């Protein structure tokens, strides 16, 4: 599986922790869409880079981070086909895969330390979509909102 990762200046350290976790997964290829230094950048630009990789079929999933995770998740969810879940706990991360088939995980670099964030990433990667009828129906309805 290919994962595209990106952050703004508010989550640079968190991105480094997440990259370490991803390196534990031998079946995951990672593309880092930046940012690469502390210089201020606009989080919608990073969300666009990562989410367009998914939309264009060049990555299956994404991980995005900004200071709170809020702005970058809002931006990500504007892109067609994206289901970005802002998670600050392991339970939500697991449910975002199992029930919502989230294709983008979002976290806040000023919200989470490296320990909790690493557990969230592992839970998100290790959980499959449940494929239950009701969840599929709800996701279809959710995605249909993009065209209304
Ligand atoms: C940048 O200072 C900050 O606004 C951004 O990282 C994020 O928290 C926005 O939601």
């Amino acid at each position: 599986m290919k994962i595209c990762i990106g952050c703004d200046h508010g989550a640079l350290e968190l991105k480094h922790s997440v990259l370490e976790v991803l390196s534990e997964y031998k079946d995951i290829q990672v593309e880092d869409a930046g940012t690469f230094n502390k210089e201020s950048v606009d989080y919608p630009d990073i969300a666009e880079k990562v989410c367009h990789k998914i939309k264009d079929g060049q990555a299956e999933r994404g991980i995005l981070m900004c200071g709170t995770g809020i702005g970058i998740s809002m931006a990500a969810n504007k892109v067609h086909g994206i289901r970005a879940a802002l998670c600050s706990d392991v339970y939500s991360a697991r449910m975002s895969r199992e029930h919502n088939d989230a294709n983008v995980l979002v976290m806040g670099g000023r919200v989470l330390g490296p320990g909790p964030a690493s557990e969230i990433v592992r839970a998100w990667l290790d959980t499959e979509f449940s494929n239950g009828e009701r969840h599929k129906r709800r996701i279809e309805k959710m995605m249909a909102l993009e065209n209304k």
Side-chain angles (χ1 to χ4, degrees):
M1 173 168 62
K2 172 129 177 236
I3 293 188
C4 190
I5 187 169
C7 69
D8 78 355
H9 52 285
L12 201 58
E13 284 91 357
L14 182 59
K15 187 180 75 173
H16 293 146
S17 303
V18 172
L19 284 169
E20 266 183 48
V21 175
L22 292 177
S23 72
E24 294 166 8
Y25 289 78
K26 298 305 162 213
D27 54 337
I28 289 179
Q29 297 99 57
V30 180
E31 180 173 346
D32 189 346
T35 192
F36 298 104
N37 58 51
K38 283 278 189 189
E39 215 172 286
S40 181
V41 291
D42 295 337
Y43 57 79
D45 297 336
I46 306 293
E48 183 177 352
K49 274 188 196 168
V50 168
C51 293
H52 277 203
K53 289 276 175 190
I54 298 167
K55 188 175 171 237
D56 298 344
Q58 293 170 51
E60 285 161 81
R61 296 216 219 146
I63 299 180
L64 285 169
M65 293 147 282
C66 67
T68 57
I70 295 171
I72 209 160
S73 64
M74 288 177 167
N77 279 313
K78 298 286 180 199
V79 178
H80 239 80
I82 297 301
R83 291 181 299 281
L86 173 56
C87 296
S88 296
D89 63 88
V90 167
Y91 178 75
S92 301
R94 199 177 296 131
M95 286 302 114
S96 80
R97 290 286 312 129
E98 210 174 299
H99 287 189
N100 315 116
D101 199 16
N103 51 10
V104 176
L105 169 66
V106 187
M107 294 178 293
R110 296 173 184 152
V111 178
L112 288 167
S118 300
E119 290 308 307
I120 287 168
V121 171
R122 288 192 189 98
W124 193 74
L125 292 174
D126 296 345
T127 307
E128 293 299 323
F129 177 49
S130 74
N131 236 353
E133 247 352 281
R134 70 184 193 282
H135 299 307
K136 283 201 270 188
R137 182 182 66 246
R138 289 163 189 165
I139 289 169
E140 273 166 25
K141 285 185 177 182
M142 184 202 322
M143 300 320 279
L145 291 173
E146 289 179 336
N147 303 315
K148 287 188 179 174

